[in-house]
Amino acid sequence: MSEKVWRKALRKLSGAGEGEDRSRLSGGDASARPASGDSDATFDRAVLNQPLPALLDPRSQSDYLVELSDAAAIKRALVNYLVHAVGTDPAEATVHDWFYALSFLLRGVLSERQINSNRQSRAENAKHVYYLSMEYLLGRSLIKNLIDLDMLENTRDALADLGQDLDAVADLEHDPGLGNGGLGRLAACFLESMATLSLPGCGYGLRYKFGLFSQAIEDGRQVEHPDNWLKDGNPWEFRRPERTFEVNFGGTCLCETGADGRRICTWTPSQSVLANAYDFPIAGYRNGTVTNLRLWTARANVDFDLGSFNRGNYIKATEEKITSEVLSKILYPDDSTHEGRELRLKQEYFFVAASIQDILAQFLRDNDSLDALPDKAIIQLNDTHPALAIAELMRLLVDIHGLDFEHAFDITSRTFAYTNHTLLPEALERWPVAMMRELLPRHLEIIFDINVRFLESVRAFAPDNPGKTYALSLVEDKDQSVRMAHLAIVASTKVNGVAKLHTELLRDNMFPDFVRMYPGKFVNVTNGVTPRRWLKQCNPGLAALITEHVGEEWPRDLSAIAALAPMADDAVFRQRFREVKQANKRRLARFIAERTGITIPADALVDSQIKRIHEYKRQLLNVLGVIARYNRIRAGEVPATPRVVVFAGKAAPGYYMAKLIIRLIHDVASMINADKSIGDMLKVVFLPDYKGTIAEIIIPGTELSEQISTAGTEASGTGNMKFAMNGALTIGTWDGANIEIAEAVGLDNIFIFGLRADEVVAMKAKGYDPRALYRADPELHQALDMIGNGHFSPGDPGRYSAIFHSLFDGGDHYMLLADYKAYMAAHDRVSDLYVDGEEWTRKAILNVAGMGPFSSDRSVQQYADMIWNVKPLT
């Protein structure tokens, strides 16, 4: 075999592309090279393309990798993995050892299926979806994979035969520290749905060593600690040392005009780091398809400077390693400082640079012409965080592959699609030109060049309106910053909002000129959640009840759940539904007692608001309602039913007001929970360190879901869908996906209150006066005075003055006072209904039955049809 033929075969086996650094992609391992001689020439590598069962030795493999159809086979496989992969004597194995044995067993099954999926995809030369997201809130994988592989009960029996409890084993798993909120949870749901729908593609992200942070509460205050989720290793991942790419920063960029009139730019970087891949398999639901989440970790080109060490400069010896690896340490570094913003920019570029290089390498492995890229790849940008991928692809096409700028932009603009997730102007990323010039000078030049050509089209579109060039420019003149959302819009084939109202507001309020310039580019795809995790896994009692009445197909086709609607009028079914909810409430009560020491009454209405702490999500409005109910009880009013108000969520480390709201919740809770005159009539709970596993306990045990953002601020929300899917009624504003949920379940089965988005705008335009509302409503007046005058912080009366003044001197930007009266009236309706247990249950069942449109499978299928133009693998 010649050197050329061998290296080509090696690249195919390792997944390397034609244009990549061969020594790096092969790991530089000389031992991988075949020996010269006749035996090399006669070896037929086609044998490696046989079906996997033919390659695997049936004497040692079939029991635990190919055929796991019963508990006995699983038991043998577990012992096999315990001995050979974990290296432990079964007689001395701990629960931790059994966790790793089971995880490695399942990883092997997933790997086999992923290889088959990849082979099928390559055989069809299918168009691939590449989903780029800075975060993925995956949740734990062990139980989820057992469900997807249809191995749950047999594995439970196998472990029981080995003296182990599956729930105890599964409870050892750490939640991956790869996400924070709805953006990450959506990305995780979408990858799972892509696999379930057998769509070819994968996700890309960063392998954060410490995640966002672990939230502790000390004296009512949020304190951040590292979330060291990888301290015991991650049994699901595969390290791919051969998938390593160089990522550069800084230096200079010199541009000149060549003899042919083309502008040629040369980037001479001053720093480089290496991006190393880890693969995390994501299973589809009982269909044999497994897709991949590829995560990048940063490492130094030189881990250790021996010369500096020998000279006694021990800090200098590891300086490059420390500065390089910080790029993948933390999700969303605090950007309240210049250094923090700089780290975020470098982190985002590191992520997309590695991902785009990898995508191109995979494409060039199977395709000869870059002109085919838009036909074989679609890169979905999950918000603006990955938008630098546009400039990176342009750099590779122009500087490395020699395409002219217009040709490269034509390919690029047909390869990307962009999902917008925010209606808050301050949340649309902008990067200072000066910072980009220092860190990414070549990419800034590319963005400038795109902008020059774009503004020419703006002038042609609106020749009599020079102001349009300033409004639409990719570069903001006033503060000299790059508008990443504008870049994503201009360079994408489609732009989508994530709920009907959100998309309407994008078209009408945020980007109307872009809509006029690009007819048909803006579309809507309402978010969804996977029913496999958010119903079948987290609520097995309800899942079993649903299956009994509508059949086995609903986890694959959630529209089948509509058949539950007639059961709302069946008294026996309502009773069984209530029994499931009560069991979930008892589980939640035990969890609250374990985590907080607070005992909650079994007959209380469980009222939950669990989400990122932010002013627009209006946890403060909920607190005002709690204080008002507390005052009513103190004044002698006995509530119709006891109530437990549950909060959970994290505030960004640099977000002062959000962290102050967390402290207020704790001070209010401390006073109410200790007030013996209140007893069990009202309890307030804050569950710390909110993550997916905690949500899987709170959501099934909740009866009232708080979705109370200011109308026109929440893009969609997915928590609203998860709660309703699990039989909670919603109290919410006419905002985000609340609107579509109301339409699906019926306005009689949801508690809608407050101003609509257009009314918010009109009230502000007319001159909104929160003080007038404060003076006119004695109950609101009393609650606000208690906050502002230190009633809940007697040792520090001014503790919450910032909150008080934000509502008056700050103009109550999120309209809490404007919606307060309607919010309390809606809660009065909640209390009145809850007394009638039969009617409450009937409405809860109708909420579950109406959730068919909110599966992430529906969302992903719409992306596939309207945006990606991809077909399932056959």
Side-chain angles (χ1 to χ4, degrees):
M1 181 184 288
S2 69
E3 171 80 4
K4 181 177 180 181
V5 171
W6 172 77
R7 287 207 174 272
K8 184 175 182 180
L10 180 62
R11 283 197 302 277
K12 285 195 173 185
L13 286 171
S14 65
E18 294 290 340
E20 298 175 88
D21 181 331
R22 287 152 172 76
S23 64
R24 180 163 293 145
L25 285 171
S26 67
D29 183 5
S31 66
R33 181 174 176 173
S36 60
D38 293 341
S39 61
D40 175 48
T42 60
F43 176 66
D44 182 5
R45 287 186 173 269
V47 71
L48 299 180
N49 290 320
Q50 295 179 82
L52 288 184
L55 286 170
L56 298 169
D57 180 0
R59 291 169 299 176
S60 61
Q61 304 283 341
S62 62
D63 279 345
Y64 60 91
L65 193 57
V66 179
E67 192 63 47
L68 293 164
S69 59
D70 57 42
I74 293 171
K75 185 166 75 170
R76 291 193 299 272
L78 276 169
V79 173
N80 196 318
Y81 268 90
L82 185 72
V83 172
H84 293 108
V86 182
T88 298
D89 182 344
E92 299 178 1
T94 65
V95 179
H96 193 269
D97 294 325
W98 287 111
F99 165 72
Y100 274 94
L102 178 55
S103 299
F104 290 148
L105 165 62
L106 296 176
R107 186 179 70 163
V109 177
L110 295 176
S111 178
E112 180 182 336
R113 295 186 175 196
Q114 186 173 13
I115 289 169
N116 287 333
S117 299
N118 292 343
R119 286 183 173 188
Q120 184 67 25
S121 177
R122 290 195 67 189
E124 298 180 20
N125 196 15
K127 183 177 184 179
H128 275 63
V129 179
Y130 298 103
Y131 198 85
L132 270 57
S133 179
M134 282 295 286
E135 55 172 298
Y136 293 88
L137 200 61
L138 296 172
R140 295 177 178 178
S141 294
L142 192 144
I143 297 296
K144 178 69 170 61
N145 285 330
L146 287 172
I147 291 171
D148 289 337
L149 297 169
D150 199 12
M151 292 172 57
L152 181 64
E153 295 311 318
N154 282 337
T155 301
R156 190 181 300 279
D157 293 341
L159 280 169
D161 286 348
L162 293 164
Q164 301 297 318
D165 176 67
L166 174 59
D167 294 331
V169 170
D171 199 45
L172 292 175
E173 185 173 5
H174 295 284
D175 281 47
L178 301 173
N180 174 34
L183 187 79
R185 186 57 247 169
L186 182 78
C189 286
F190 277 13
L191 285 191
E192 192 257 24
S193 284
M194 284 170 58
T196 297
L197 296 171
S198 295
L199 296 175
C202 68
Y204 282 96
L206 288 180
R207 182 179 179 267
Y208 304 104
K209 184 173 182 179
F210 296 116
L212 182 70
F213 58 83
S214 176
Q215 180 194 55
I217 302 297
E218 299 176 11
D219 191 28
R221 291 174 292 188
Q222 172 180 291
V223 178
E224 300 89 20
H225 298 286
D227 176 15
N228 195 6
W229 70 283
L230 287 168
K231 65 181 180 181
D232 296 323
N234 176 12
W236 306 107
E237 67 186 9
F238 293 93
R239 183 169 182 256
R240 306 295 189 194
E242 76 281 3
R243 306 304 296 178
T244 298
F245 296 95
E246 193 168 35
V247 178
N248 298 310
F249 298 97
T252 59
C253 179
L254 299 178
C255 299
E256 55 187 10
T257 303
D260 59 356
R262 288 178 56 186
R263 192 163 178 260
I264 301 170
C265 294
T266 304
W267 180 23
T268 307
S270 59
Q271 181 194 1
S272 69
V273 299
L274 299 180
N276 183 211
Y278 285 76
D279 286 350
F280 198 122
I282 307 293
Y285 180 70
R286 299 182 184 178
N287 65 347
T289 301
V290 175
T291 192
N292 189 46
L293 171 57
R294 177 156 287 176
L295 303 169
W296 302 105
T297 191
R299 60 184 177 87
N301 262 308
V302 179
D303 283 342
F304 187 72
D305 183 349
L306 186 60
S308 295
F309 184 85
N310 288 337
R311 290 190 296 272
N313 194 341
Y314 307 127
I315 295 175
K316 179 71 174 175
T318 58
E319 183 178 53
E320 183 174 346
K321 176 180 173 65
I322 294 169
T323 57
S324 297
E325 294 181 0
V326 73
L327 291 175
S328 55
K329 293 285 189 190
I330 298 289
L331 168 64
Y332 299 145
D334 183 359
D335 61 356
S336 60
T337 65
H338 174 81
E339 291 79 10
R341 278 184 62 75
E342 189 175 90
L343 178 57
R344 270 213 196 185
L345 177 59
K346 292 181 72 174
Q347 188 181 66
E348 290 183 8
Y349 175 65
F350 169 80
F351 159 46
V352 302
S355 302
I356 296 300
Q357 288 183 74
D358 194 41
I359 291 167
L360 263 191
Q362 292 181 55
F363 169 79
L364 291 171
R365 179 186 59 192
D366 299 318
N367 300 274
D368 296 326
S369 171
L370 287 165
D371 287 325
L373 183 62
D375 299 321
K376 295 299 178 184
I378 182 76
I379 303 173
Q380 185 70 45
L381 305 176
N382 193 27
D383 219 343
T384 54
H385 307 125
L388 280 167
I390 293 163
E392 175 65 6
L393 180 58
M394 287 292 295
R395 182 187 73 83
L396 294 174
L397 295 180
V398 174
D399 296 356
I400 305 302
H401 293 278
L403 274 62
D404 65 59
F405 199 91
E406 283 73 17
H407 187 184
F409 189 71
D410 174 65
I411 291 172
T412 298
S413 61
R414 291 185 292 118
T415 301
F416 283 97
Y418 161 52
T419 300
N420 175 280
H421 282 281
T422 183
L423 289 164
L424 304 178
E426 64 270 22
L428 295 174
E429 279 193 316
R430 299 181 180 211
W431 291 111
V433 167
M435 185 179 289
M436 287 200 69
R437 183 175 286 115
E438 179 183 352
L439 296 177
L440 301 169
R442 177 59 181 128
H443 299 77
L444 183 63
E445 287 293 335
I446 289 169
I447 292 169
F448 283 165
D449 287 345
I450 294 172
N451 198 37
V452 167
R453 290 161 173 78
F454 169 64
L455 292 182
E456 288 175 0
S457 67
V458 173
R459 294 185 191 97
F461 176 76
D464 301 323
N465 192 346
K468 291 295 181 193
T469 59
Y470 296 100
L472 298 183
S473 174
L474 309 189
V475 181
E476 167 65 60
D477 280 343
K478 186 182 298 183
D479 63 2
Q480 280 295 289
S481 62
V482 178
R483 298 160 161 165
M484 302 309 291
H486 288 204
L487 174 64
I489 292 169
V490 169
S492 292
T493 181
K494 292 288 185 183
V495 177
N496 74 280
V498 291
K500 289 178 182 177
L501 176 63
H502 173 231
T503 303
E504 289 172 11
L505 294 173
L506 287 182
R507 288 170 172 155
D508 298 343
N509 297 354
M510 292 193 75
F511 304 121
D513 292 320
F514 284 109
V515 172
R516 285 189 283 271
M517 280 193 69
Y518 300 116
K521 178 175 278 197
F522 285 75
V523 298
N524 177 64
V525 181
T526 298
N527 285 343
V529 300
T530 169
R532 274 80 61 179
R533 180 179 292 274
W534 294 111
L535 181 47
K536 187 172 179 64
Q537 178 180 336
C538 76
N539 199 341
L542 181 57
L545 185 61
I546 293 169
T547 299
E548 181 183 328
H549 287 84
V550 306
E552 297 275 357
E553 286 302 309
W554 65 265
R556 291 188 188 89
D557 178 11
L558 196 60
S559 65
I561 213 168
L564 278 184
M567 304 306 298
D569 295 320
D570 184 310
V572 174
F573 185 86
R574 288 198 302 271
Q575 176 60 29
R576 294 182 65 190
F577 187 93
R578 276 197 302 275
E579 289 170 357
V580 169
K581 179 61 74 174
Q582 285 302 121
N584 288 324
K585 287 174 66 176
R586 288 193 295 270
R587 180 177 66 155
L588 175 58
R590 289 194 300 271
F591 184 77
I592 289 172
E594 291 168 4
R595 290 299 180 96
T596 68
I598 299 170
T599 301
I600 64 174
D603 59 342
L605 165 65
V606 179
D607 172 356
S608 299
Q609 186 177 19
I610 55 172
K611 53 185 74 226
R612 178 166 53 97
I613 309 297
H614 196 290
E615 288 168 280
Y616 88 85
K617 293 181 182 289
R618 300 206 297 190
Q619 284 90 355
L620 185 56
L621 178 59
N622 194 346
V623 174
L624 284 172
V626 168
I627 295 170
R629 284 194 291 277
Y630 174 54
N631 288 333
R632 290 178 184 178
I633 297 171
R634 289 199 305 161
E637 181 180 314
V638 178
T641 183
R643 187 182 296 233
V644 176
V645 182
V646 178
F647 293 91
K650 297 178 180 180
Y655 192 171
Y656 171 76
M657 191 62 73
K659 294 175 84 168
L660 193 60
I661 290 170
I662 289 176
R663 193 169 191 191
L664 175 62
I665 292 170
H666 281 86
D667 279 345
V668 170
S670 294
M671 182 167 288
I672 291 175
N673 295 340
D675 192 333
K676 293 181 179 177
S677 68
I678 302 300
D680 283 343
M681 288 185 282
L682 179 63
K683 296 288 185 184
V684 182
V685 175
F686 187 99
L687 283 166
D689 204 25
Y690 176 62
K691 57 185 65 175
T693 300
I694 294 176
E696 290 173 27
I697 297 172
I698 297 174
I699 289 171
T702 291
E703 293 161 297
L704 184 69
S705 160
E706 300 264 355
Q707 309 295 331
I708 59 176
S709 55
T710 312
T713 61
E714 184 71 82
S716 170
T718 54
N720 44 10
M721 304 170 190
K722 296 165 196 165
F723 277 112
M725 198 176 284
N726 283 272
L729 272 59
T730 301
I731 181 169
T733 49
W734 198 250
D735 195 29
N738 290 353
I739 299 169
E740 290 157 78
I741 290 174
E743 293 167 351
V745 306
L747 282 169
D748 290 340
N749 303 309
I750 190 171
F751 300 97
I752 295 294
F753 73 92
L755 299 170
R756 305 290 175 98
D758 55 344
E759 293 171 329
V760 169
V761 173
M763 180 174 280
K764 287 184 175 181
K766 194 163 79 173
Y768 172 49
D769 182 8
R771 288 187 184 276
L773 295 170
Y774 165 72
R775 289 191 293 265
D777 188 330
E779 183 178 80
L780 174 62
H781 195 299
Q782 182 186 15
L784 284 168
D785 283 353
M786 291 170 74
I787 294 172
N789 296 335
H791 181 85
F792 298 104
S793 54
D796 183 9
R799 179 177 296 170
Y800 301 113
S801 59
I803 290 177
F804 190 82
H805 290 301
S806 74
L807 297 174
F808 300 116
D809 302 334
D812 186 19
H813 183 69
Y814 294 109
M815 313 291 281
L816 279 74
L817 276 61
D819 276 346
Y820 171 80
K821 193 167 187 176
Y823 177 61
M824 294 305 294
H827 267 291
D828 290 341
R829 298 199 304 275
V830 168
S831 297
D832 291 342
L833 178 65
Y834 192 75
V835 174
D836 186 348
E838 292 290 342
E839 183 61 15
W840 181 279
T841 304
R842 191 184 73 83
K843 291 178 181 293
I845 294 167
L846 291 174
N847 269 260
V848 176
M851 285 296 105
F854 301 99
S855 169
S856 52
D857 295 351
R858 186 269 314 151
S859 302
V860 168
Q861 190 62 59
Q862 284 186 310
Y863 275 95
D865 294 340
M866 295 195 308
I867 298 175
W868 300 339
N869 191 27
V870 295
K871 304 296 181 186
L873 298 173
T874 53

